[in-house]
Amino acid sequence: RSEMNAFADGLLTVSEERARARVGIKWTKHSDDVIPSFVADMDFDPPQPILNAIQGHVERGDLGYGPFSAELAPAYADWQERQHGWRPDERQIRPFTSALHALEVALWNTTERGDGVVVFTPIYYPFLDAIADSGRRRIDCPLDPYGWRLDPARLEGVIDATTKVILFCNPHNPTGRVFDAAEVAAVADVAERHNLLVITDEIWGELLHPGAVHRPLAICDERFAGRLVTLGSASKTFNIAGLRTAVAHVDHEPLLSALGSMAGHQQGSPSSLGIAGTLTAWTECDEWMRAAQRTITARRDQLTRRLAADAPTIGYHAPEATYLAWLDFTEVADGAVGVSLGDDPAEYLLKHAGVALSNGPKFGTEGVGVARLNFATSEQMLDDAIDRIVRTIDEDH
């Protein structure tokens, strides 16, 4: 099957039958009658060149050492320059098995137990787990719930003497915000004045909706120089999270020094297939990426129309990036339509609607009464999920 056969009218396609044949967690965690809209995998096939590259290794029996992770640095630098106008220093790029792996290594080597790490909540919950598991102290800086803007005064107010790191996520998971220049400048200002390291997760940077522009923090403000770690991966853009490959650009001399003193295998290494797939993604798959961008925008707009028409009590800001929707059920839970979904609407909807969403409270206290929906699927499957949610609310009413 050629790559072009994966497109219909310029959009990516997938059948529910093909999706349900997969053995990943998205399709096996729940029973077959559940529509899974939680874990951040797309239902579309990855780009054909990536599948070809991996299949070539399999057919040749080529599962030994190599390609080597050193090849990721120039490919990532070329990719960032082509996509975003940033040419990272290849000497500062290090390979990891995932963005979370890179985050945990960075925290472990630059902070001590009890040190504070600022997060802009709600936030991707494995970040919260990483902070807790390492014995660091989580410092919440809530985003404005009416538009998910970053409040500079609030950020300044949460900094204390033990704060060492600001953990940034741009584009933001789960809200889909792309932070603007003023918000980014506020982070740079606080980081410089308090001598803080900034770790920025930018793995969603290519999955933008029309009108949004992603600029890597590294080129946004000179005050980030020398205090910035940028996490990158092809995992979200090209639907290859299972290949377990990521990089970090480390513009922070103490962390570079710490990495240099670590035993090599402590830092981990992506697999040969992960490296091969990632290199192919960053060099051969631009056409597929553009189709993915068009598709998730079409699904976002579909979701926006459906919620406005059929479920106006569900609070929703159309994301500027990502294929994630942060759905606020608090008006529903307050009794406006006669049914309480409780603090964790995902639990209620899994039981009563057969739709699996991500549990909002796991993303921080701002997630109470909220759930995250993944809309990177077919038009029909998204409609089916929305229908089930709407029908459940209406029936209970």
Side-chain angles (χ1 to χ4, degrees):
R1 184 172 63 86
S2 71
E3 183 183 9
M4 289 304 298
N5 288 337
F7 305 159
D9 298 325
L11 303 182
L12 297 180
T13 61
V14 64
S15 69
E16 183 169 355
E17 179 183 13
R18 181 169 177 80
R20 287 195 179 276
R22 293 171 175 167
V23 298
I25 187 173
K26 182 174 185 178
W27 292 98
T28 57
K29 181 175 182 179
H30 302 290
S31 59
D32 290 345
D33 59 342
V34 169
I35 298 176
S37 304
F38 63 111
V39 68
D41 288 334
M42 292 189 271
D43 290 336
F44 316 116
D45 286 351
Q48 192 64 40
I50 295 177
L51 300 179
N52 293 343
I54 293 173
Q55 186 62 34
H57 277 261
V58 173
E59 291 177 349
R60 294 189 302 270
D62 192 4
L63 301 180
Y65 294 115
F68 297 105
S69 56
E71 297 179 43
L72 292 169
Y76 178 68
D78 289 345
W79 171 256
Q80 287 294 316
E81 185 173 35
R82 190 165 80 250
Q83 296 297 323
H84 307 299
W86 170 44
R87 181 76 194 185
D89 187 339
E90 295 177 27
R91 298 169 299 177
Q92 297 177 322
I93 297 172
R94 299 291 184 271
F96 292 92
T97 54
S98 69
L100 280 170
H101 174 209
L103 166 62
E104 291 182 345
V105 169
L107 287 179
W108 193 259
N109 282 286
T110 60
T111 61
E112 303 290 338
R113 289 186 176 274
D115 284 347
V117 180
V118 176
V119 286
F120 298 104
T121 52
I123 191 64
Y124 180 52
Y125 63 85
F127 289 173
L128 305 181
D129 295 340
I131 295 169
D133 291 347
S134 65
R136 276 56 177 173
R137 185 170 55 87
R138 167 179 149 193
I139 302 175
D140 287 4
C141 183
L143 299 172
D144 183 344
Y146 303 101
W148 306 115
R149 291 190 61 81
L150 187 158
D151 186 326
R154 187 177 300 143
L155 173 58
E156 177 64 36
V158 301
I159 305 299
D160 61 26
T162 69
T163 305
K164 300 298 182 183
V165 174
I166 296 174
L167 179 52
F168 205 55
C169 182
N170 188 34
H172 186 260
N173 176 3
T175 69
R177 268 300 312 283
V178 177
F179 295 105
D180 64 28
E183 293 168 298
V184 170
V187 175
D189 177 61
V190 169
E192 181 188 49
R193 287 190 292 103
H194 295 279
N195 192 28
L196 305 178
L197 172 65
V198 178
I199 303 174
T200 175
D201 172 10
E202 302 190 356
I203 67 173
W204 295 95
E206 289 76 51
L207 294 180
L208 305 170
H209 300 293
V213 177
H214 170 68
R215 297 190 72 231
L217 256 63
I219 57 173
C220 283
D221 196 301
E222 62 183 11
R223 290 172 291 185
F224 287 122
R227 63 176 72 258
L228 186 66
V229 176
T230 303
L231 310 182
S233 176
S235 60
K236 298 306 179 191
T237 304
F238 298 99
N239 202 30
I240 54 173
L243 291 184
R244 310 295 291 168
T245 301
V247 296
H249 179 257
V250 183
D251 184 14
H252 183 67
E253 191 55 42
L255 179 55
L256 281 174
S257 178
L259 292 173
S261 66
M262 288 177 64
H265 288 94
Q266 285 184 313
Q267 299 180 45
S269 177
S271 71
S272 297
L273 295 184
I275 295 167
T278 298
L279 293 174
T280 303
W282 285 337
T283 56
E284 300 182 32
C285 299
D286 288 25
E287 182 182 7
W288 187 97
M289 181 186 71
R290 289 189 288 270
Q293 292 166 332
R294 292 191 296 268
T295 305
I296 64 170
T297 294
R299 297 290 82 78
R300 180 200 66 167
D301 295 346
Q302 175 188 350
L303 177 65
T304 302
R305 291 192 302 270
R306 287 294 313 276
L307 292 179
D310 300 326
T313 56
I314 299 176
Y316 165 72
H317 297 274
E320 299 168 302
T322 80
Y323 46 77
L324 307 171
W326 190 235
L327 304 181
D328 187 344
F329 292 87
T330 54
E331 186 175 345
V332 176
D334 284 342
V337 296
V339 56
S340 173
L341 274 63
D343 289 347
D344 192 351
E347 287 292 333
Y348 183 96
L349 292 170
L350 178 61
K351 179 179 180 180
H352 296 278
V355 177
L357 308 180
S358 295
N359 305 86
K362 295 172 68 173
F363 293 77
T365 55
E366 291 73 29
V368 172
V370 186
R372 192 190 74 176
L373 181 147
N374 173 352
F375 53 81
T377 188
S378 70
E379 181 178 3
Q380 184 60 57
M381 282 193 280
L382 180 57
D383 265 340
D384 289 347
I386 299 169
D387 287 344
R388 291 188 183 195
I389 293 170
V390 171
R391 184 167 57 246
T392 299
I393 294 173
D394 287 347
E395 286 176 353
D396 288 347
H397 173 56

